[in-house]
Amino acid sequence: RKEVEQDPGPFNVPEGATVAFNCTYSNSASQSFFWYRQDCRKEPKLLMSVYSSGNEDGRFTAQLNRASQYISLLIRDSKLSDSATYLCVARRAAGNKLTFGGGTRVLVKP
Amino acid sequence: GAGVSQSPSNKVTEKGKDVELRCDPISGHTALYWYRQSLGQGLEFLIYFQGNSAPDKSGLPSDRFSAERTGGSVSTLTIQRTQQEDSAVYLCASSLASSGNTEAFFGQGTRLTVV
């Protein structure tokens, strides 16, 4: 089993709709979590960190559920420019290895 | 420079040749990571540096792969006797601290093609 798992998608989303997807992690020692965005043939870029209490950044909301060992990302009022692959990342408390999930592809269509 | 810099941006090499990939992290960043990404795939962890030491090199695929970091700054990933399956984008990232919610910043990658 992979340490960080994501539904690869694609999630086909009508423009203006809401889309949400999860990421599960198997290592309970994971301490910090992030969502990165990767556009085709580009490097990953940080979208947002994920805090224990959940956090929101504009149209994006991230949640962490430690009991069930998953994090989620919700995108409201989807824009065409939100089309990308979203990468879930977990960092362990001991050491500093950042483990990436395989990514969830989102396609926002007019 | 302001960001993570990787060179070369593209490299085509013949099977069996050695290649060196370079990463210049953001100034002051103590943590440095190497990942590999094949077409349409996720990021595969290779090695992580904290300062000049590598606490985790568990992701290096074989003994043909090695990496070093000097002066707590520049890192070099070396692949000896390249094989076609080594073809991928090699991404380097750096971050300020070794824990917490400190984000990692990526370079634009080196696209390696082994022919």
Side-chain angles (χ1 to χ4, degrees):
Chain A
R1 182 186 173 188
K2 291 183 180 178
E3 192 169 329
V4 179
E5 292 204 76
Q6 296 182 250
D7 182 339
F11 284 65
N12 293 300
V13 184
E15 191 176 8
T18 296
V19 61
F21 42 88
N22 291 343
C23 158
T24 59
Y25 60 95
S26 60
N27 192 328
S28 59
S30 296
Q31 179 188 54
S32 307
F33 304 90
F34 308 86
W35 282 105
Y36 275 71
R37 170 192 170 129
Q38 186 173 29
D39 293 294
C40 188
R41 300 176 79 86
K42 298 284 188 181
E43 75 276 19
K45 293 186 178 178
L46 181 72
L47 178 66
M48 58 199 301
S49 301
V50 185
Y51 299 108
S52 296
S53 55
N55 48 301
E56 190 175 306
D57 183 0
R59 299 181 292 107
F60 297 84
T61 301
Q63 295 278 352
L64 167 62
N65 186 318
R66 286 194 186 274
S68 301
Q69 295 188 192
Y70 74 86
I71 68 172
S72 64
L73 181 67
L74 182 145
I75 308 173
R76 283 186 301 277
D77 187 22
S78 298
K79 311 292 184 191
L80 296 177
S81 57
D82 294 334
S83 296
T85 296
Y86 292 85
L87 300 167
C88 168
V89 187
R91 169 185 268 146
R92 293 179 189 170
N96 196 24
K97 182 178 174 179
L98 291 172
T99 304
F100 282 76
T104 295
R105 193 167 168 223
V106 172
L107 296 172
V108 181
K109 299 186 174 179
Chain B
V4 178
S5 177
Q6 291 188 246
S7 60
S9 53
N10 279 284
K11 176 73 177 178
V12 180
T13 190
E14 290 182 354
K15 180 181 170 181
K17 300 280 189 187
D18 297 352
V19 294
E20 264 189 15
L21 312 179
R22 176 187 168 109
C23 173
D24 238 305
I26 293 171
S27 178
H29 280 197
T30 57
L32 186 148
Y33 311 82
W34 283 100
Y35 292 88
R36 176 168 78 170
Q37 188 172 34
S38 300
L39 191 62
Q41 303 297 310
L43 273 72
E44 177 189 1
F45 171 79
L46 297 178
I47 187 169
Y48 148 64
F49 287 92
Q50 181 59 39
N52 290 337
S53 64
D56 190 341
K57 51 179 82 169
S58 61
L60 295 177
S62 74
D63 58 9
R64 295 187 296 105
F65 288 72
S66 63
E68 65 175 14
R69 189 179 185 194
T70 55
S73 181
V74 172
S75 176
T76 304
L77 177 69
T78 301
I79 309 173
Q80 295 178 309
R81 305 181 302 282
T82 52
Q83 303 294 312
Q84 286 185 328
E85 62 263 27
D86 299 335
S87 296
V89 176
Y90 289 80
L91 289 160
C92 174
S94 70
S95 70
L96 249 181
S98 59
S99 63
N101 280 72
T102 310
E103 68 177 285
F105 295 84
F106 280 85
Q108 292 188 320
T110 293
R111 186 173 300 276
L112 175 67
T113 304
V114 182
V115 297

